[in-house]
Amino acid sequence: MEARIFGLEASALARALSESLWVYPTVNAGHLLGIALLVGAIVPVDLRLLGAWRAVPLAPFCQVLVRSAAAGLALAVVCGALLLITRASEYAASGLFLAKMAIVALTTTNALALRLAGFDELLRGSGLEALAGGKEMSAGTVVNGALRLVDKAPASIGEHRRIGPGGDHLG
């Protein structure tokens, strides 16, 4: 592992980035712009899910901001990888950097899991507003929606249960 890390730092690309007067700061700015796009898109979506801007339809709001968040993540990852290779051994030894990478991996996995579980379908179908009965969404409403997504998941992911109108299990 250490040989790979030192190999990254010794690469021609890492040296070119480190020695450049303009390229490294430009890549660093790209990384910050990506993070700003990512966080700047996530916060309004979360606030909207919690009830802010109720007059704005949720589906188009989320559609635009989810794409912005994805673009921000892509930019942050590409630029971050370029920054990483310039000081890979230093970053590999940093607990803060490793924690940052764990958080990025977990949140990205969560976003992909929501997408695969049908979050988009829920937005297009009855909508998250229908889950809340037209009211502001509480954390309980969001959890309820997530549980409904899990219940809609294919049987290969987990046991699929049908629930009757009275809430009883049908099989």
Side-chain angles (χ1 to χ4, degrees):
M1 176 86 165
E2 286 184 25
R4 288 184 187 159
I5 290 172
F6 289 119
L8 286 173
E9 288 179 344
S11 70
L13 180 58
R15 283 194 315 271
L17 281 167
S18 296
E19 295 169 0
S20 172
L21 180 63
W22 295 103
V23 177
Y24 185 88
T26 302
V27 171
N28 197 9
H31 185 63
L32 292 174
L33 176 63
I35 292 169
L37 276 170
L38 178 62
V39 174
I42 290 172
V43 170
V45 169
D46 287 349
L47 289 173
R48 176 61 185 87
L49 290 173
L50 292 171
W53 310 297
R54 280 183 272 161
V56 178
L58 185 60
F61 187 76
C62 286
Q63 186 178 25
V64 169
L65 291 175
V66 166
R67 288 181 180 157
S68 296
L73 177 64
L75 183 61
V77 167
V78 169
C79 291
L82 291 171
L83 295 172
L84 169 70
I85 66 172
T86 63
R87 296 188 294 179
S89 59
E90 187 179 321
Y91 288 128
S94 168
L96 289 175
F97 175 77
L98 297 175
K100 175 184 172 181
M101 292 299 96
I103 290 168
V104 168
L106 286 172
T107 56
T108 302
T109 301
N110 180 59
L112 291 173
L114 279 173
R115 189 166 196 101
L116 292 173
F119 183 74
D120 294 341
E121 178 186 323
L122 189 62
L123 283 174
R124 284 190 302 272
S126 59
L128 290 173
E129 279 109 344
L131 291 174
K135 300 176 187 153
E136 289 184 6
M137 291 189 142
S138 66
T141 303
V142 174
V143 169
N144 183 28
L147 291 174
R148 287 185 187 190
L149 288 175
V150 170
D151 192 46
K152 288 183 177 185
S156 61
I157 294 175
E159 181 184 329
H160 188 76
R161 293 182 266 163
R162 295 183 341 198
I163 299 176
D168 49 338
H169 294 278
L170 300 175

Short mmCIF file of all heavy atoms in Angstrom, two decimals, residues 124-149:
data_model
loop_
_atom_site.label_atom_id
_atom_site.label_comp_id
_atom_site.label_asym_id
_atom_site.label_seq_id
_atom_site.Cartn_x
_atom_site.Cartn_y
_atom_site.Cartn_z
N ARG A 124 -42.41 11.19 -8.44
CA ARG A 124 -43.28 11.28 -9.61
C ARG A 124 -44.69 10.78 -9.33
O ARG A 124 -45.64 11.26 -9.90
CB ARG A 124 -42.69 10.46 -10.76
CG ARG A 124 -41.52 11.12 -11.44
CD ARG A 124 -41.15 10.40 -12.71
NE ARG A 124 -40.82 9.01 -12.47
CZ ARG A 124 -39.61 8.55 -12.15
NH1 ARG A 124 -38.63 9.39 -12.03
NH2 ARG A 124 -39.40 7.27 -11.98
N GLY A 125 -44.80 9.78 -8.44
CA GLY A 125 -46.10 9.17 -8.17
C GLY A 125 -46.93 10.04 -7.27
O GLY A 125 -47.28 11.17 -7.57
N SER A 126 -47.26 9.52 -6.12
CA SER A 126 -48.11 10.26 -5.19
C SER A 126 -47.36 11.43 -4.57
O SER A 126 -47.97 12.36 -4.08
CB SER A 126 -48.60 9.32 -4.08
OG SER A 126 -47.51 8.76 -3.39
N GLY A 127 -46.06 11.38 -4.58
CA GLY A 127 -45.25 12.48 -4.08
C GLY A 127 -45.08 12.44 -2.58
O GLY A 127 -45.87 11.86 -1.86
N LEU A 128 -43.99 13.02 -2.14
CA LEU A 128 -43.72 13.06 -0.72
C LEU A 128 -44.72 13.95 0.01
O LEU A 128 -44.99 13.73 1.18
CB LEU A 128 -42.29 13.55 -0.47
CG LEU A 128 -41.21 12.56 -0.87
CD1 LEU A 128 -39.84 13.22 -0.74
CD2 LEU A 128 -41.26 11.31 -0.04
N GLU A 129 -45.28 14.95 -0.69
CA GLU A 129 -46.29 15.79 -0.04
C GLU A 129 -47.50 14.96 0.37
O GLU A 129 -48.11 15.18 1.38
CB GLU A 129 -46.74 16.94 -0.94
CG GLU A 129 -45.79 18.10 -0.92
CD GLU A 129 -45.02 18.23 -2.22
OE1 GLU A 129 -45.00 17.26 -3.00
OE2 GLU A 129 -44.43 19.28 -2.44
N ALA A 130 -47.85 13.96 -0.46
CA ALA A 130 -49.00 13.11 -0.13
C ALA A 130 -48.73 12.30 1.13
O ALA A 130 -49.64 12.05 1.91
CB ALA A 130 -49.30 12.18 -1.30
N LEU A 131 -47.48 11.92 1.33
CA LEU A 131 -47.14 11.19 2.55
C LEU A 131 -47.37 12.06 3.78
O LEU A 131 -47.75 11.59 4.83
CB LEU A 131 -45.68 10.74 2.53
CG LEU A 131 -45.31 9.67 1.52
CD1 LEU A 131 -43.80 9.46 1.55
CD2 LEU A 131 -46.04 8.39 1.81
N ALA A 132 -47.14 13.36 3.61
CA ALA A 132 -47.28 14.28 4.74
C ALA A 132 -48.69 14.81 4.86
O ALA A 132 -48.98 15.59 5.77
CB ALA A 132 -46.30 15.44 4.57
N GLY A 133 -49.58 14.41 3.96
CA GLY A 133 -50.94 14.91 4.01
C GLY A 133 -51.01 16.41 3.74
O GLY A 133 -51.88 17.10 4.23
N GLY A 134 -50.07 16.93 2.93
CA GLY A 134 -50.06 18.34 2.59
C GLY A 134 -49.47 19.22 3.67
O GLY A 134 -49.46 20.43 3.55
N LYS A 135 -49.00 18.65 4.75
CA LYS A 135 -48.44 19.43 5.85
C LYS A 135 -46.92 19.44 5.75
O LYS A 135 -46.33 18.72 4.96
CB LYS A 135 -48.85 18.82 7.19
CG LYS A 135 -50.34 18.78 7.40
CD LYS A 135 -50.65 18.08 8.68
CE LYS A 135 -52.15 17.89 8.79
NZ LYS A 135 -52.51 16.77 9.60
N GLU A 136 -46.30 20.22 6.60
CA GLU A 136 -44.85 20.19 6.68
C GLU A 136 -44.39 18.78 7.02
O GLU A 136 -45.05 18.07 7.77
CB GLU A 136 -44.35 21.15 7.76
CG GLU A 136 -44.50 22.59 7.40
CD GLU A 136 -43.91 23.48 8.46
OE1 GLU A 136 -43.28 22.99 9.40
OE2 GLU A 136 -44.07 24.70 8.33
N MET A 137 -43.27 18.41 6.47
CA MET A 137 -42.76 17.07 6.74
C MET A 137 -41.97 17.08 8.03
O MET A 137 -41.06 17.86 8.20
CB MET A 137 -41.87 16.61 5.60
CG MET A 137 -42.59 16.33 4.35
SD MET A 137 -41.41 15.56 3.31
CE MET A 137 -42.41 14.40 2.53
N SER A 138 -42.32 16.20 8.89
CA SER A 138 -41.53 16.01 10.11
C SER A 138 -40.53 14.90 9.85
O SER A 138 -40.59 14.21 8.82
CB SER A 138 -42.46 15.60 11.25
OG SER A 138 -43.02 14.33 10.98
N ALA A 139 -39.63 14.72 10.76
CA ALA A 139 -38.68 13.61 10.62
C ALA A 139 -39.43 12.29 10.54
O ALA A 139 -39.05 11.39 9.80
CB ALA A 139 -37.71 13.61 11.80
N GLY A 140 -40.54 12.17 11.27
CA GLY A 140 -41.34 10.95 11.22
C GLY A 140 -41.92 10.70 9.85
O GLY A 140 -41.99 9.56 9.38
N THR A 141 -42.33 11.77 9.17
CA THR A 141 -42.86 11.63 7.82
C THR A 141 -41.78 11.15 6.87
O THR A 141 -42.02 10.28 6.02
CB THR A 141 -43.43 12.98 7.33
OG1 THR A 141 -44.42 13.40 8.25
CG2 THR A 141 -44.02 12.86 5.95
N VAL A 142 -40.60 11.71 7.00
CA VAL A 142 -39.49 11.28 6.14
C VAL A 142 -39.16 9.82 6.40
O VAL A 142 -38.97 9.04 5.47
CB VAL A 142 -38.25 12.19 6.34
CG1 VAL A 142 -37.07 11.67 5.56
CG2 VAL A 142 -38.58 13.62 5.93
N VAL A 143 -39.12 9.42 7.67
CA VAL A 143 -38.85 8.01 8.01
C VAL A 143 -39.96 7.13 7.46
O VAL A 143 -39.71 6.08 6.89
CB VAL A 143 -38.69 7.84 9.54
CG1 VAL A 143 -38.67 6.37 9.91
CG2 VAL A 143 -37.42 8.53 10.01
N ASN A 144 -41.21 7.57 7.59
CA ASN A 144 -42.35 6.81 7.06
C ASN A 144 -42.19 6.62 5.55
O ASN A 144 -42.41 5.54 5.02
CB ASN A 144 -43.66 7.53 7.39
CG ASN A 144 -44.88 6.77 6.93
OD1 ASN A 144 -44.87 5.56 6.84
ND2 ASN A 144 -45.94 7.50 6.65
N GLY A 145 -41.82 7.68 4.85
CA GLY A 145 -41.59 7.58 3.41
C GLY A 145 -40.46 6.61 3.09
O GLY A 145 -40.56 5.82 2.16
N ALA A 146 -39.39 6.67 3.87
CA ALA A 146 -38.27 5.75 3.65
C ALA A 146 -38.70 4.31 3.89
O ALA A 146 -38.33 3.41 3.13
CB ALA A 146 -37.11 6.11 4.56
N LEU A 147 -39.53 4.10 4.91
CA LEU A 147 -40.02 2.74 5.17
C LEU A 147 -40.92 2.26 4.05
O LEU A 147 -40.89 1.08 3.70
CB LEU A 147 -40.75 2.69 6.52
CG LEU A 147 -39.85 2.86 7.74
CD1 LEU A 147 -40.69 2.94 9.01
CD2 LEU A 147 -38.83 1.75 7.84
N ARG A 148 -41.70 3.15 3.47
CA ARG A 148 -42.53 2.76 2.33
C ARG A 148 -41.66 2.38 1.15
O ARG A 148 -41.98 1.47 0.41
CB ARG A 148 -43.47 3.90 1.94
CG ARG A 148 -44.60 4.07 2.92
CD ARG A 148 -45.56 5.10 2.45
NE ARG A 148 -46.56 5.36 3.47
CZ ARG A 148 -47.63 6.08 3.26
NH1 ARG A 148 -47.87 6.59 2.08
NH2 ARG A 148 -48.49 6.27 4.24
N LEU A 149 -40.55 3.10 0.96
CA LEU A 149 -39.62 2.73 -0.11
C LEU A 149 -39.04 1.35 0.14
O LEU A 149 -38.92 0.54 -0.78
CB LEU A 149 -38.48 3.76 -0.21
CG LEU A 149 -38.84 5.12 -0.76
CD1 LEU A 149 -37.63 6.05 -0.67
CD2 LEU A 149 -39.30 5.01 -2.18
#
